Each structure stands twice: as C-alpha cells, then as structure tokens.
Amino acid sequence: SRSVIDKFLNDDITIYGDGLATRTYVYIDDLITGILQSLEWKKGSYYFGTKQNYTVLDLAKATGKPYKFSDYRKGEFIHSHLENTTPDWHETIDVMDYIKCCQS
C-alpha cells in the first residue's frame, strides 16, 4: 500500500472540490517511531499530530505536476487537524519537504 504523498508524486492528481480542504499529514517513518515510543507511555489515547496543516492544493502545487479538479466526493471531510498529544514524540520530516526532495 502506498501513502497519500506517494500517490501525489506518482499518479495523476485529481483534486476533489476546490482543493482547500486541509489535513494533518505525518511521514510514515515518524509515525513508526512514535508507535515504538508509545510502548513506554502510560496507558491512554494519544494523537500523532503536527503543527503543519496543508491544503490538498498545497500538496498538488508542491509536486510541480499538472492537476485537475472534480466535484466534491460524498462524505468528504473539509478540514481535519490533529494536535500532537503525545508525551515525547514529534515529527522530524515535514511532508512538504518530503515532496520537494522526492519528486520523480
């Protein structure tokens, strides 16, 4: 299975709606590190969020590839942001930096 960012980098880009929907993206290696760290945390619920919140259009533009727009999909979240609630984890790779360094 490929990440959302890998799909932006490798597939044709279709933006559903106006592209201004926001998301919190976390690089998979950072997430794995956090999951391993969580084995030592006290029991509870934690969110692996970041300070960064990008629009879908931001990501599409960062790839430098052409993109097209389509109608909103039913049930699509417009804005989604997760604050980091972990005791000692933080992201080390910003997804925008990843896109810029890994463009095919």
Side-chain angles (χ1 to χ4, degrees):
S1 144
R2 295 181 312 154
S3 73
V4 171
I5 302 305
D6 289 332
K7 288 181 181 185
F8 268 87
L9 290 170
N10 299 310
D11 297 349
D12 292 337
I13 300 172
T14 300
I15 297 173
Y16 296 95
D18 59 10
L20 300 179
T22 57
R23 301 284 182 274
T24 302
Y25 297 93
V26 177
Y27 184 66
I28 189 67
D29 287 355
D30 285 341
L31 188 57
I32 291 168
T33 297
I35 291 168
L36 292 173
Q37 287 176 347
S38 74
L39 297 173
E40 303 299 321
W41 300 340
K42 73 177 189 173
K43 292 186 190 246
S45 296
Y46 301 98
Y47 295 106
F48 292 97
T50 71
K51 293 179 184 173
Q52 302 300 328
N53 210 31
Y54 295 113
T55 67
V56 176
L57 188 56
D58 291 335
L59 298 178
K61 287 180 177 180
T63 67
K65 295 172 40 177
Y67 49 88
K68 64 181 180 179
F69 291 92
S70 186
D71 292 335
Y72 279 104
R73 293 185 290 190
K74 185 178 179 176
E76 183 79 13
F77 287 103
I78 302 301
H79 300 290
S80 174
H81 180 74
L82 286 177
E83 292 290 333
N84 184 17
T85 63
T86 65
D88 60 359
W89 174 89
H90 67 279
E91 79 280 6
T92 62
I93 298 172
D94 184 280
V95 294
M96 268 315 171
D97 293 337
Y98 179 78
I99 288 173
K100 290 173 185 173
C101 105
C102 298
Q103 293 172 348
S104 23

